[in-house]
Amino acid sequence: MDQLALLFVLLLGAVVSVPVGDRLGLPAPVLMTLLGIVLAVLDFVPNVEIPPELILPLLLPPLLYAAVRRTSWRQFTANLRPILLLAVALVFVTTVCVAAVAHAIVPGLPIAAAVALGALVAPPDPVAATAVAGQLGLPRRLVSILEGEGLFNDVTAIVLYHVAIAAAVSGSFSPWRAGLDLVLSAVVAVAVGVALGWGANRLLDVLGDTTLQIGLTLLVPYASYVLAEEFHGSGVLAVLTTALFLAEYATDPDDVLTRLAGHTFWEIIDTLVTGVAFGLIGLELHNAIRTASGRWGEMLGWAAVIVAVVVVVRLLWLLPATWLTKRLHARRDHDEDIPTSWRETVVMWWAGMRGVASVALALAVPLKTEAGGPFPDRDEIVFIAFGVIMATLVLQGLTLPWLVKRLDVRSDTDREKAFEKELAVRAAKAAKRRLREIEAEEDLPEELSEQMLRRAFDIGVRISPDVGEDERREAHEARVRRLKRVRRIQGEMLSAARHEVVAARSEPGADPEIVDRVLRHLDVRSLR
Protein backbone atom coordinates (compact mmCIF):
# COMPACT_ATOMS: atom_id res chain seq x y z
CA MET A 1 0.00 0.00 0.00
CA ASP A 2 1.38 3.41 -0.94
CA GLN A 3 0.64 6.85 0.52
CA LEU A 4 -2.12 7.65 -1.99
CA ALA A 5 -3.93 4.37 -1.35
CA LEU A 6 -3.69 5.03 2.38
CA LEU A 7 -5.28 8.45 1.89
CA PHE A 8 -8.22 6.92 0.03
CA VAL A 9 -8.65 4.33 2.80
CA LEU A 10 -8.88 7.16 5.34
CA LEU A 11 -11.36 9.07 3.18
CA LEU A 12 -13.53 5.96 2.83
CA GLY A 13 -13.30 5.42 6.57
CA ALA A 14 -14.37 9.02 7.19
CA VAL A 15 -17.57 8.42 5.23
CA VAL A 16 -18.35 4.99 6.70
CA SER A 17 -17.54 5.96 10.31
CA VAL A 18 -20.49 8.40 10.46
CA PRO A 19 -23.33 5.84 10.05
CA VAL A 20 -21.36 3.21 11.99
CA GLY A 21 -20.83 5.67 14.83
CA ASP A 22 -24.53 6.57 14.85
CA ARG A 23 -25.46 2.89 15.03
CA LEU A 24 -22.98 2.14 17.82
CA GLY A 25 -23.55 5.40 19.68
CA LEU A 26 -19.87 6.37 19.38
CA PRO A 27 -18.31 9.56 17.97
CA ALA A 28 -16.99 9.20 14.42
CA PRO A 29 -13.60 10.87 15.26
CA VAL A 30 -12.92 8.20 17.87
CA LEU A 31 -13.72 5.43 15.39
CA MET A 32 -11.36 7.01 12.86
CA THR A 33 -8.60 7.13 15.47
CA LEU A 34 -9.14 3.43 16.18
CA LEU A 35 -9.00 2.74 12.43
CA GLY A 36 -5.70 4.59 12.26
CA ILE A 37 -4.34 2.49 15.12
CA VAL A 38 -5.37 -0.71 13.36
CA LEU A 39 -3.69 0.45 10.15
CA ALA A 40 -0.57 1.45 12.07
CA VAL A 41 0.05 -2.10 13.36
CA LEU A 42 -0.33 -3.70 9.91
CA ASP A 43 3.01 -4.46 8.27
CA PHE A 44 1.95 -3.53 4.73
CA VAL A 45 0.73 -0.04 5.74
CA PRO A 46 3.47 2.58 5.19
CA ASN A 47 4.51 5.25 7.66
CA VAL A 48 2.83 8.60 7.08
CA GLU A 49 5.30 10.99 5.48
CA ILE A 50 3.54 14.35 5.71
CA PRO A 51 5.98 17.16 6.63
CA PRO A 52 5.03 18.29 10.16
CA GLU A 53 5.03 21.95 9.15
CA LEU A 54 2.22 21.23 6.66
CA ILE A 55 -0.17 19.38 8.98
CA LEU A 56 -1.63 22.47 10.68
CA PRO A 57 -1.92 24.60 7.49
CA LEU A 58 -3.56 21.73 5.56
CA LEU A 59 -6.01 20.45 8.15
CA LEU A 60 -6.91 23.22 10.58
CA PRO A 61 -8.22 26.03 8.27
CA PRO A 62 -11.16 24.11 6.74
CA LEU A 63 -12.02 22.44 10.05
CA LEU A 64 -12.03 25.75 11.93
CA TYR A 65 -14.01 27.49 9.17
CA ALA A 66 -16.63 24.74 9.18
CA ALA A 67 -16.93 24.95 12.98
CA VAL A 68 -17.28 28.75 12.99
CA ARG A 69 -20.15 28.51 10.47
CA ARG A 70 -22.18 26.95 13.30
CA THR A 71 -21.67 29.90 15.66
CA SER A 72 -21.91 33.70 15.47
CA TRP A 73 -20.17 36.85 16.66
CA ARG A 74 -23.10 37.52 19.00
CA GLN A 75 -22.69 34.11 20.62
CA PHE A 76 -18.95 34.61 20.98
CA THR A 77 -19.25 38.02 22.67
CA ALA A 78 -21.99 36.73 25.00
CA ASN A 79 -19.73 33.87 26.12
CA LEU A 80 -16.50 35.88 26.27
CA ARG A 81 -15.93 35.33 29.98
CA PRO A 82 -16.29 31.50 29.95
CA ILE A 83 -14.15 31.36 26.79
CA LEU A 84 -11.37 33.42 28.39
CA LEU A 85 -11.44 31.28 31.53
CA LEU A 86 -11.15 28.08 29.48
CA ALA A 87 -9.33 29.03 26.29
CA VAL A 88 -6.72 31.34 27.79
CA ALA A 89 -6.45 30.89 31.54
CA LEU A 90 -6.84 27.10 31.58
CA VAL A 91 -4.28 26.69 28.78
CA PHE A 92 -1.75 28.73 30.77
CA VAL A 93 -2.43 26.79 33.97
CA THR A 94 -2.23 23.40 32.24
CA THR A 95 1.00 24.37 30.50
CA VAL A 96 2.63 25.44 33.77
CA CYS A 97 1.52 22.31 35.67
CA VAL A 98 2.57 19.89 32.93
CA ALA A 99 5.92 21.68 32.53
CA ALA A 100 6.63 21.51 36.27
CA VAL A 101 5.76 17.81 36.56
CA ALA A 102 7.57 16.82 33.35
CA HIS A 103 10.70 18.70 34.41
CA ALA A 104 10.61 16.83 37.73
CA ILE A 105 10.04 13.27 36.46
CA VAL A 106 11.93 13.20 33.14
CA PRO A 107 15.68 13.24 33.89
CA GLY A 108 17.52 16.10 32.20
CA LEU A 109 14.44 17.68 30.58
CA PRO A 110 15.11 21.46 30.37
CA ILE A 111 12.45 23.93 31.49
CA ALA A 112 11.95 25.33 27.98
CA ALA A 113 11.40 21.88 26.49
CA ALA A 114 9.03 21.02 29.35
CA VAL A 115 7.02 24.20 28.64
CA ALA A 116 6.85 23.19 24.96
CA LEU A 117 5.44 19.82 26.04
CA GLY A 118 2.92 21.55 28.32
CA ALA A 119 1.80 23.91 25.55
CA LEU A 120 1.26 21.20 22.96
CA VAL A 121 -0.85 19.00 25.26
CA ALA A 122 -2.74 21.88 26.93
CA PRO A 123 -5.42 22.72 24.33
CA PRO A 124 -8.44 20.42 23.96
CA ASP A 125 -9.02 19.82 20.28
CA PRO A 126 -11.74 22.02 18.73
CA VAL A 127 -12.59 19.42 16.08
CA ALA A 128 -12.93 16.59 18.60
CA ALA A 129 -14.99 18.71 21.00
CA THR A 130 -17.47 19.95 18.39
CA ALA A 131 -17.73 16.62 16.57
CA VAL A 132 -18.31 14.62 19.73
CA ALA A 133 -20.54 17.15 21.52
CA GLY A 134 -22.69 17.64 18.44
CA GLN A 135 -23.60 13.93 18.30
CA LEU A 136 -24.55 13.45 21.95
CA GLY A 137 -27.57 15.76 22.20
CA LEU A 138 -25.91 17.96 24.84
CA PRO A 139 -27.53 21.22 25.94
CA ARG A 140 -26.79 23.96 23.44
CA ARG A 141 -25.07 26.09 26.09
CA LEU A 142 -22.51 23.31 26.73
CA VAL A 143 -21.88 22.85 23.02
CA SER A 144 -21.40 26.62 22.69
CA ILE A 145 -18.83 26.70 25.49
CA LEU A 146 -16.95 23.68 24.13
CA GLU A 147 -16.94 25.19 20.64
CA GLY A 148 -15.72 28.54 21.94
CA GLU A 149 -13.03 26.92 24.07
CA GLY A 150 -11.90 24.66 21.27
CA LEU A 151 -11.79 27.45 18.71
CA PHE A 152 -9.75 29.91 20.79
CA ASN A 153 -7.48 27.78 22.98
CA ASP A 154 -5.25 26.82 20.04
CA VAL A 155 -4.28 30.47 19.65
CA THR A 156 -2.88 30.67 23.17
CA ALA A 157 -1.28 27.23 23.08
CA ILE A 158 0.44 27.66 19.72
CA VAL A 159 1.95 31.02 20.72
CA LEU A 160 3.20 29.52 24.02
CA TYR A 161 4.59 26.57 22.09
CA HIS A 162 6.52 28.77 19.64
CA VAL A 163 7.95 30.86 22.49
CA ALA A 164 9.09 27.73 24.36
CA ILE A 165 10.58 26.14 21.24
CA ALA A 166 12.49 29.33 20.44
CA ALA A 167 13.86 29.39 23.99
CA ALA A 168 14.89 25.72 23.81
CA VAL A 169 16.54 26.13 20.41
CA SER A 170 18.38 29.38 21.18
CA GLY A 171 19.06 28.75 24.85
CA SER A 172 17.66 32.16 25.93
CA PHE A 173 14.25 33.36 27.11
CA SER A 174 12.72 36.80 27.73
CA PRO A 175 9.31 37.04 29.45
CA TRP A 176 8.78 40.54 28.07
CA ARG A 177 9.59 39.35 24.58
CA ALA A 178 7.20 36.42 24.97
CA GLY A 179 4.38 38.69 26.14
CA LEU A 180 5.00 41.10 23.27
CA ASP A 181 4.96 38.23 20.78
CA LEU A 182 1.62 37.07 22.16
CA VAL A 183 0.03 40.52 21.80
CA LEU A 184 1.50 41.18 18.34
CA SER A 185 0.44 37.75 17.12
CA ALA A 186 -3.17 38.45 18.13
CA VAL A 187 -3.21 41.98 16.66
CA VAL A 188 -1.76 40.84 13.33
CA ALA A 189 -4.17 37.90 13.15
CA VAL A 190 -7.25 40.05 13.78
CA ALA A 191 -6.10 42.64 11.23
CA VAL A 192 -5.47 39.98 8.57
CA GLY A 193 -8.74 38.22 9.36
CA VAL A 194 -10.86 41.38 9.10
CA ALA A 195 -9.10 42.52 5.92
CA LEU A 196 -9.54 39.16 4.20
CA GLY A 197 -13.12 38.86 5.43
CA TRP A 198 -13.97 42.29 4.00
CA GLY A 199 -12.23 41.52 0.69
CA ALA A 200 -13.86 38.10 0.39
CA ASN A 201 -17.28 39.60 1.10
CA ARG A 202 -16.84 42.09 -1.74
CA LEU A 203 -15.54 39.40 -4.07
CA LEU A 204 -18.52 37.15 -3.32
CA ASP A 205 -20.82 39.90 -4.59
CA VAL A 206 -18.73 40.27 -7.76
CA LEU A 207 -18.64 36.53 -8.53
CA GLY A 208 -22.40 36.01 -8.29
CA ASP A 209 -22.30 32.38 -9.45
CA THR A 210 -23.01 29.83 -6.71
CA THR A 211 -20.22 27.46 -7.76
CA LEU A 212 -17.60 30.21 -7.76
CA GLN A 213 -18.79 31.63 -4.44
CA ILE A 214 -18.53 28.26 -2.70
CA GLY A 215 -15.12 27.68 -4.27
CA LEU A 216 -13.96 31.02 -2.85
CA THR A 217 -15.11 30.06 0.64
CA LEU A 218 -12.81 27.03 0.44
CA LEU A 219 -9.81 29.19 -0.48
CA VAL A 220 -10.42 31.97 2.04
CA PRO A 221 -9.54 30.06 5.26
CA TYR A 222 -6.28 28.81 3.73
CA ALA A 223 -5.39 32.31 2.53
CA SER A 224 -6.18 33.77 5.95
CA TYR A 225 -4.04 31.19 7.76
CA VAL A 226 -1.02 31.43 5.46
CA LEU A 227 -1.06 35.23 5.21
CA ALA A 228 -1.26 35.66 9.00
CA GLU A 229 1.63 33.23 9.50
CA GLU A 230 3.70 35.14 6.91
CA PHE A 231 3.28 38.30 9.01
CA HIS A 232 4.12 36.37 12.23
CA GLY A 233 0.52 36.38 13.43
CA SER A 234 -1.69 33.55 14.64
CA GLY A 235 -3.07 31.67 11.66
CA VAL A 236 -5.75 30.06 13.81
CA LEU A 237 -7.04 33.39 15.14
CA ALA A 238 -6.96 34.86 11.62
CA VAL A 239 -9.16 32.04 10.29
CA LEU A 240 -11.60 32.49 13.18
CA THR A 241 -11.79 36.25 12.58
CA THR A 242 -12.35 35.84 8.84
CA ALA A 243 -15.03 33.17 9.36
CA LEU A 244 -16.86 35.23 11.99
CA PHE A 245 -16.76 38.30 9.70
CA LEU A 246 -18.21 36.38 6.76
CA ALA A 247 -20.85 34.71 8.94
CA GLU A 248 -21.93 38.16 10.14
CA TYR A 249 -21.83 40.18 6.92
CA ALA A 250 -21.84 37.82 3.92
CA THR A 251 -25.29 36.29 4.43
CA ASP A 252 -27.91 37.12 1.81
CA PRO A 253 -31.32 35.93 3.07
CA ASP A 254 -32.63 35.62 -0.50
CA ASP A 255 -29.69 33.60 -1.87
CA VAL A 256 -31.36 30.27 -1.16
CA LEU A 257 -29.43 28.11 -3.64
CA THR A 258 -25.99 29.28 -2.47
CA ARG A 259 -26.93 28.75 1.17
CA LEU A 260 -28.24 25.20 0.61
CA ALA A 261 -25.35 24.22 -1.66
CA GLY A 262 -22.79 25.83 0.66
CA HIS A 263 -24.18 24.01 3.68
CA THR A 264 -23.97 20.66 1.88
CA PHE A 265 -20.46 21.41 0.58
CA TRP A 266 -19.07 22.30 4.00
CA GLU A 267 -20.73 19.29 5.63
CA ILE A 268 -18.84 17.11 3.14
CA ILE A 269 -15.54 18.93 3.71
CA ASP A 270 -15.97 18.76 7.48
CA THR A 271 -16.69 15.01 7.40
CA LEU A 272 -13.78 14.10 5.10
CA VAL A 273 -11.09 16.32 6.64
CA THR A 274 -12.11 15.40 10.19
CA GLY A 275 -11.88 11.71 9.31
CA VAL A 276 -8.44 12.08 7.72
CA ALA A 277 -7.15 14.17 10.63
CA PHE A 278 -8.13 11.64 13.29
CA GLY A 279 -7.03 8.73 11.13
CA LEU A 280 -3.58 10.32 10.98
CA ILE A 281 -3.54 10.55 14.77
CA GLY A 282 -3.99 6.79 15.01
CA LEU A 283 -1.35 6.19 12.34
CA GLU A 284 1.20 8.05 14.45
CA LEU A 285 1.35 4.89 16.59
CA HIS A 286 4.19 3.88 14.22
CA ASN A 287 6.39 6.66 15.55
CA ALA A 288 5.41 6.06 19.17
CA ILE A 289 6.36 2.37 18.96
CA ARG A 290 9.70 3.21 17.39
CA THR A 291 10.43 5.89 20.00
CA ALA A 292 9.66 3.67 23.00
CA SER A 293 11.65 0.68 21.75
CA GLY A 294 13.39 -0.87 24.77
CA ARG A 295 12.04 1.75 27.22
CA TRP A 296 8.36 0.89 27.38
CA GLY A 297 7.97 0.78 31.15
CA GLU A 298 9.74 4.04 31.83
CA MET A 299 8.10 6.05 29.04
CA LEU A 300 4.61 4.66 29.66
CA GLY A 301 4.99 5.71 33.29
CA TRP A 302 5.90 9.26 32.31
CA ALA A 303 3.01 9.43 29.87
CA ALA A 304 0.55 8.14 32.48
CA VAL A 305 1.65 10.80 34.98
CA ILE A 306 1.23 13.62 32.42
CA VAL A 307 -2.18 12.25 31.40
CA ALA A 308 -3.24 12.37 35.04
CA VAL A 309 -1.95 15.95 35.38
CA VAL A 310 -3.84 17.09 32.25
CA VAL A 311 -7.11 15.46 33.32
CA VAL A 312 -6.96 16.46 37.01
CA VAL A 313 -5.93 20.07 36.33
CA ARG A 314 -8.91 20.52 34.02
CA LEU A 315 -11.31 19.27 36.71
CA LEU A 316 -9.71 21.32 39.49
CA TRP A 317 -9.87 24.43 37.31
CA LEU A 318 -13.43 23.91 36.03
CA LEU A 319 -15.00 23.59 39.48
CA PRO A 320 -14.04 27.06 40.80
CA ALA A 321 -14.20 28.64 37.31
CA THR A 322 -17.79 27.46 36.88
CA TRP A 323 -18.72 28.71 40.36
CA LEU A 324 -17.14 32.10 39.64
CA THR A 325 -18.89 32.37 36.28
CA LYS A 326 -22.24 31.59 37.89
CA ARG A 327 -21.72 34.31 40.52
CA LEU A 328 -20.77 36.92 37.94
CA HIS A 329 -23.59 35.75 35.70
CA ALA A 330 -26.14 36.20 38.47
CA ARG A 331 -24.85 39.65 39.43
CA ARG A 332 -24.61 41.13 35.94
CA ASP A 333 -27.34 39.03 34.30
CA HIS A 334 -25.30 38.50 31.17
CA ASP A 335 -26.89 36.46 28.40
CA GLU A 336 -24.07 33.92 28.38
CA ASP A 337 -24.00 30.13 28.21
CA ILE A 338 -22.76 28.51 31.41
CA PRO A 339 -23.11 25.06 32.98
CA THR A 340 -26.15 25.03 35.28
CA SER A 341 -25.29 21.96 37.38
CA TRP A 342 -22.39 19.88 38.58
CA ARG A 343 -23.41 17.20 36.07
CA GLU A 344 -22.82 19.56 33.17
CA THR A 345 -19.48 20.61 34.66
CA VAL A 346 -18.41 16.95 34.84
CA VAL A 347 -19.38 16.45 31.19
CA MET A 348 -17.37 19.54 30.23
CA TRP A 349 -14.40 18.13 32.13
CA TRP A 350 -14.53 14.75 30.45
CA ALA A 351 -15.01 16.32 27.00
CA GLY A 352 -11.50 17.86 27.09
CA MET A 353 -9.95 15.61 24.44
CA ARG A 354 -6.66 16.36 22.67
CA GLY A 355 -6.26 15.84 18.94
CA VAL A 356 -5.05 17.32 15.66
CA ALA A 357 -3.26 20.43 16.96
CA SER A 358 -1.34 18.47 19.61
CA VAL A 359 -0.17 15.89 17.06
CA ALA A 360 0.96 18.57 14.62
CA LEU A 361 2.83 20.52 17.29
CA ALA A 362 4.50 17.38 18.64
CA LEU A 363 5.71 16.36 15.18
CA ALA A 364 6.90 19.92 14.51
CA VAL A 365 9.38 19.90 17.43
CA PRO A 366 12.78 20.67 15.80
CA LEU A 367 15.41 18.00 15.48
CA LYS A 368 18.35 20.27 16.38
CA THR A 369 19.15 23.43 18.31
CA GLU A 370 20.97 26.50 17.00
CA ALA A 371 24.19 25.14 18.48
CA GLY A 372 23.91 22.07 16.24
CA GLY A 373 23.08 19.58 18.99
CA PRO A 374 19.93 17.46 19.16
CA PHE A 375 16.79 19.04 20.56
CA PRO A 376 16.68 18.04 24.24
CA ASP A 377 14.59 14.90 24.87
CA ARG A 378 12.64 15.24 21.62
CA ASP A 379 11.73 11.53 21.51
CA GLU A 380 10.40 11.65 25.06
CA ILE A 381 8.31 14.74 24.33
CA VAL A 382 6.76 13.18 21.22
CA PHE A 383 5.97 9.90 23.00
CA ILE A 384 4.42 11.61 26.05
CA ALA A 385 2.35 13.86 23.80
CA PHE A 386 1.10 10.88 21.82
CA GLY A 387 0.20 9.10 25.06
CA VAL A 388 -1.86 12.09 26.24
CA ILE A 389 -3.64 12.35 22.88
CA MET A 390 -4.51 8.65 22.73
CA ALA A 391 -5.60 8.42 26.37
CA THR A 392 -7.85 11.47 26.26
CA LEU A 393 -9.22 10.94 22.75
CA VAL A 394 -9.87 7.20 22.85
CA LEU A 395 -10.62 6.66 26.55
CA GLN A 396 -12.64 9.82 27.08
CA GLY A 397 -14.18 9.71 23.61
CA LEU A 398 -15.42 6.14 24.06
CA THR A 399 -16.78 6.72 27.57
CA LEU A 400 -18.25 10.21 27.09
CA PRO A 401 -21.56 8.91 25.61
CA TRP A 402 -21.93 6.58 28.60
CA LEU A 403 -21.15 9.42 31.03
CA VAL A 404 -23.67 11.76 29.37
CA LYS A 405 -26.35 9.09 29.59
CA ARG A 406 -25.41 8.16 33.15
CA LEU A 407 -25.59 11.77 34.36
CA ASP A 408 -28.75 12.40 32.33
CA VAL A 409 -27.40 15.55 30.70
CA ARG A 410 -29.79 16.39 27.89
CA SER A 411 -30.59 19.33 25.68
CA ASP A 412 -33.19 21.78 26.92
CA THR A 413 -35.91 20.87 24.40
CA ASP A 414 -38.53 23.11 26.02
CA ARG A 415 -36.31 26.16 25.65
CA GLU A 416 -35.41 25.23 22.09
CA LYS A 417 -39.06 24.74 21.14
CA ALA A 418 -39.98 28.07 22.75
CA PHE A 419 -37.32 29.88 20.74
CA GLU A 420 -38.39 28.06 17.58
CA LYS A 421 -41.99 29.14 18.21
CA GLU A 422 -40.87 32.73 18.77
CA LEU A 423 -39.01 32.72 15.44
CA ALA A 424 -42.03 31.18 13.71
CA VAL A 425 -44.27 33.97 15.00
CA ARG A 426 -41.78 36.63 13.92
CA ALA A 427 -41.46 35.06 10.46
CA ALA A 428 -45.24 34.93 10.00
CA LYS A 429 -45.65 38.55 11.18
CA ALA A 430 -42.92 39.70 8.79
CA ALA A 431 -44.73 37.96 5.91
CA LYS A 432 -48.05 39.59 6.89
CA ARG A 433 -46.44 43.04 7.13
CA ARG A 434 -45.02 42.63 3.63
CA LEU A 435 -48.45 41.49 2.38
CA ARG A 436 -50.08 44.65 3.79
CA GLU A 437 -47.43 46.77 2.08
CA ILE A 438 -48.14 45.04 -1.23
CA GLU A 439 -51.89 45.52 -0.75
CA ALA A 440 -51.30 49.24 -0.22
CA GLU A 441 -49.25 49.44 -3.43
CA GLU A 442 -51.27 47.10 -5.65
CA ASP A 443 -54.96 46.40 -6.18
CA LEU A 444 -55.20 42.75 -5.13
CA PRO A 445 -58.46 40.80 -5.61
CA GLU A 446 -60.09 39.88 -2.31
CA GLU A 447 -59.79 36.16 -3.04
CA LEU A 448 -56.04 36.47 -3.75
CA SER A 449 -55.53 38.63 -0.65
CA GLU A 450 -57.21 36.02 1.59
CA GLN A 451 -55.20 33.25 -0.01
CA MET A 452 -51.94 35.12 0.60
CA LEU A 453 -52.96 35.83 4.19
CA ARG A 454 -53.49 32.09 4.78
CA ARG A 455 -50.08 31.38 3.30
CA ALA A 456 -48.49 33.97 5.59
CA PHE A 457 -50.07 32.15 8.54
CA ASP A 458 -48.88 28.81 7.13
CA ILE A 459 -45.27 30.05 7.15
CA GLY A 460 -45.30 30.18 10.94
CA VAL A 461 -47.33 27.01 11.49
CA ARG A 462 -45.04 24.92 9.28
CA ILE A 463 -42.07 26.00 11.37
CA SER A 464 -43.80 25.49 14.72
CA PRO A 465 -47.28 23.86 14.78
CA ASP A 466 -47.91 25.34 18.25
CA VAL A 467 -48.25 28.83 16.76
CA GLY A 468 -51.85 28.48 15.56
CA GLU A 469 -55.10 28.19 17.50
CA ASP A 470 -56.96 24.87 17.49
CA GLU A 471 -59.44 25.67 14.69
CA ARG A 472 -56.84 27.34 12.50
CA ARG A 473 -54.39 24.54 13.23
CA GLU A 474 -56.95 21.96 12.08
CA ALA A 475 -57.59 23.96 8.92
CA HIS A 476 -53.87 24.20 8.38
CA GLU A 477 -53.43 20.46 8.85
CA ALA A 478 -56.12 19.84 6.24
CA ARG A 479 -54.34 22.16 3.81
CA VAL A 480 -51.05 20.42 4.58
CA ARG A 481 -52.56 17.03 3.78
CA ARG A 482 -53.93 18.40 0.50
CA LEU A 483 -50.60 20.07 -0.27
CA LYS A 484 -48.68 16.87 0.43
CA ARG A 485 -50.92 15.05 -2.02
CA VAL A 486 -50.37 17.73 -4.65
CA ARG A 487 -46.63 17.65 -4.05
CA ARG A 488 -46.56 13.85 -4.28
CA ILE A 489 -48.35 13.90 -7.62
CA GLN A 490 -46.23 16.78 -8.88
CA GLY A 491 -43.10 14.97 -7.68
CA GLU A 492 -44.01 11.86 -9.64
CA MET A 493 -44.69 14.00 -12.71
CA LEU A 494 -41.31 15.73 -12.40
CA SER A 495 -39.66 12.33 -11.83
CA ALA A 496 -41.13 11.06 -15.09
CA ALA A 497 -39.89 14.19 -16.84
CA ARG A 498 -36.37 13.73 -15.43
CA HIS A 499 -36.26 10.07 -16.48
CA GLU A 500 -37.28 11.05 -20.01
CA VAL A 501 -34.60 13.74 -20.22
CA VAL A 502 -31.89 11.42 -18.82
CA ALA A 503 -32.88 8.74 -21.35
CA ALA A 504 -32.52 11.32 -24.15
CA ARG A 505 -28.88 11.81 -23.15
CA SER A 506 -27.91 8.47 -24.72
CA GLU A 507 -29.86 9.00 -27.95
CA PRO A 508 -27.93 9.61 -31.20
CA GLY A 509 -27.34 13.30 -31.87
CA ALA A 510 -28.28 14.41 -28.34
CA ASP A 511 -26.19 17.31 -27.01
CA PRO A 512 -25.17 16.38 -23.41
CA GLU A 513 -24.75 20.04 -22.47
CA ILE A 514 -28.32 20.91 -23.48
CA VAL A 515 -29.64 17.77 -21.75
CA ASP A 516 -27.82 18.74 -18.54
CA ARG A 517 -29.17 22.30 -18.78
CA VAL A 518 -32.76 21.02 -19.06
CA LEU A 519 -32.14 18.51 -16.25
CA ARG A 520 -30.81 21.27 -14.01
CA HIS A 521 -33.97 23.28 -14.68
CA LEU A 522 -36.08 20.31 -13.61
CA ASP A 523 -33.89 19.75 -10.53
CA VAL A 524 -34.29 23.37 -9.42
CA ARG A 525 -38.05 23.12 -10.02
CA SER A 526 -38.13 19.96 -7.88
CA LEU A 527 -36.17 21.72 -5.13
CA ARG A 528 -38.62 24.59 -5.07
Side-chain angles (χ1 to χ4, degrees):
M1 181 183 292
D2 58 15
Q3 298 280 333
L4 185 59
L6 180 58
L7 174 61
F8 283 118
V9 169
L10 292 179
L11 290 172
L12 177 62
V15 175
V16 174
S17 65
V18 175
V20 172
D22 291 340
R23 185 177 294 272
L24 298 178
L26 296 175
V30 175
L31 294 181
M32 283 304 300
T33 305
L34 296 175
L35 173 62
I37 292 174
V38 172
L39 293 174
V41 299
L42 298 177
D43 293 335
F44 59 87
V45 176
N47 288 331
V48 180
E49 297 178 358
I50 301 177
E53 64 273 13
L54 294 181
I55 294 179
L56 282 178
L58 285 176
L59 297 179
L60 272 189
L63 293 176
L64 291 172
Y65 189 86
V68 174
R69 285 171 58 87
R70 297 188 288 267
T71 184
S72 67
W73 177 254
R74 164 70 183 80
Q75 191 177 58
F76 162 66
T77 54
N79 296 321
L80 183 60
R81 184 167 48 232
I83 289 174
L84 290 177
L85 283 172
L86 293 171
V88 179
L90 180 54
V91 169
F92 271 104
V93 171
T94 305
T95 299
V96 170
C97 293
V98 170
V101 173
H103 178 67
I105 65 174
V106 180
L109 182 66
I111 287 292
V115 172
L117 171 62
L120 68 90
V121 300
D125 187 80
V127 181
T130 54
V132 172
Q135 295 179 4
L136 297 180
L138 296 178
R140 182 58 206 172
R141 58 181 173 275
L142 280 190
V143 178
S144 299
I145 297 172
L146 289 172
E147 286 177 344
E149 175 195 10
L151 291 173
F152 285 89
N153 58 25
D154 282 352
V155 177
T156 308
I158 290 174
V159 173
L160 286 175
Y161 168 85
H162 285 309
V163 170
I165 289 294
V169 169
S170 64
S172 61
F173 174 72
S174 169
W176 294 107
R177 179 67 181 176
L180 182 61
D181 287 344
L182 180 62
V183 174
L184 289 178
S185 176
V187 172
V188 169
V190 171
V192 170
V194 171
L196 271 180
W198 182 87
N201 189 22
R202 295 295 179 271
L203 189 54
L204 286 170
D205 293 336
V206 173
L207 292 175
D209 182 74
T210 298
T211 302
L212 299 178
Q213 289 177 332
I214 295 174
L216 179 64
T217 63
L218 179 60
L219 298 178
V220 164
Y222 285 108
S224 184
Y225 187 97
V226 172
L227 191 59
E229 291 289 329
E230 285 293 321
F231 288 106
H232 305 289
S234 168
V236 174
L237 183 57
V239 174
L240 300 183
T241 306
T242 300
L244 285 171
F245 187 97
L246 291 177
E248 191 75 17
Y249 297 106
T251 301
D252 182 0
D254 293 326
D255 195 356
V256 178
L257 187 59
T258 298
R259 186 161 53 252
L260 291 175
H263 176 77
T264 302
F265 174 82
W266 276 103
E267 285 291 319
I268 295 171
I269 293 295
D270 193 20
T271 299
L272 294 179
V273 179
T274 299
V276 171
F278 285 92
L280 291 176
I281 292 175
L283 284 167
E284 284 303 318
L285 183 63
H286 271 303
N287 296 325
I289 293 174
R290 186 179 67 250
T291 299
S293 180
R295 304 170 58 194
W296 280 101
E298 182 182 44
M299 297 189 75
L300 283 175
W302 295 339
V305 172
I306 300 302
V307 169
V309 171
V310 167
V311 173
V312 172
V313 165
R314 181 173 175 84
L315 177 62
L316 295 180
W317 179 265
L318 279 179
L319 292 175
T322 303
W323 174 84
L324 177 62
T325 304
K326 285 181 180 179
R327 292 290 300 271
L328 295 174
H329 178 85
R331 289 179 181 178
R332 302 183 184 182
D333 195 28
H334 278 294
D335 184 21
E336 63 185 2
D337 296 310
I338 60 173
T340 58
S341 67
W342 68 267
R343 293 181 177 85
E344 294 184 359
T345 302
V346 170
V347 170
M348 277 190 60
W349 162 56
W350 203 243
M353 295 160 284
R354 274 59 180 174
V356 180
S358 296
V359 168
L361 294 178
L363 296 179
V365 174
L367 297 175
K368 295 184 178 296
T369 64
E370 288 182 356
F375 190 92
D377 297 299
R378 184 184 189 277
D379 289 344
E380 286 77 4
I381 290 174
V382 172
F383 183 88
I384 292 172
F386 184 80
V388 172
I389 294 163
M390 295 308 300
T392 56
L393 184 59
V394 176
L395 177 61
Q396 291 179 279
L398 288 175
T399 55
L400 185 59
W402 173 85
L403 183 66
V404 170
K405 184 177 180 179
R406 184 75 175 177
L407 294 178
D408 195 27
V409 176
R410 301 175 183 176
S411 60
D412 190 352
T413 54
D414 292 338
R415 180 182 177 185
E416 293 174 359
K417 287 182 178 179
F419 184 55
E420 186 180 65
K421 181 179 179 179
E422 177 188 343
L423 289 179
V425 171
R426 290 171 58 181
K429 287 182 177 179
K432 292 175 183 178
R433 282 197 305 269
R434 182 55 185 155
L435 176 60
R436 287 194 294 268
E437 293 172 358
I438 294 174
E439 288 176 335
E441 299 170 359
E442 304 177 20
D443 185 17
L444 295 182
E446 184 177 350
E447 180 182 353
L448 178 59
S449 180
E450 291 180 358
Q451 181 182 1
M452 292 298 100
L453 185 61
R454 286 196 303 269
R455 292 198 175 187
F457 174 77
D458 289 348
I459 289 175
V461 176
R462 288 177 187 174
I463 298 172
S464 177
D466 295 336
V467 169
E469 301 170 355
D470 291 340
E471 291 185 11
R472 303 187 72 180
R473 189 182 302 122
E474 290 177 2
H476 165 74
E477 290 174 355
R479 289 196 300 273
V480 167
R481 287 193 296 268
R482 185 174 65 252
L483 181 60
K484 285 182 178 179
R485 188 177 184 185
V486 170
R487 285 182 173 176
R488 177 181 60 81
I489 296 173
Q490 186 176 8
E492 293 182 8
M493 293 166 58
L494 286 169
S495 177
R498 287 193 299 269
H499 279 81
E500 186 66 24
V501 172
V502 170
R505 205 176 198 277
S506 59
E507 294 176 357
D511 188 337
E513 186 174 346
I514 296 177
V515 172
D516 290 342
R517 189 189 311 160
V518 173
L519 188 60
R520 178 176 173 80
H521 172 78
L522 291 173
D523 288 340
V524 173
R525 180 70 180 273
S526 301
L527 182 65
R528 290 174 180 172

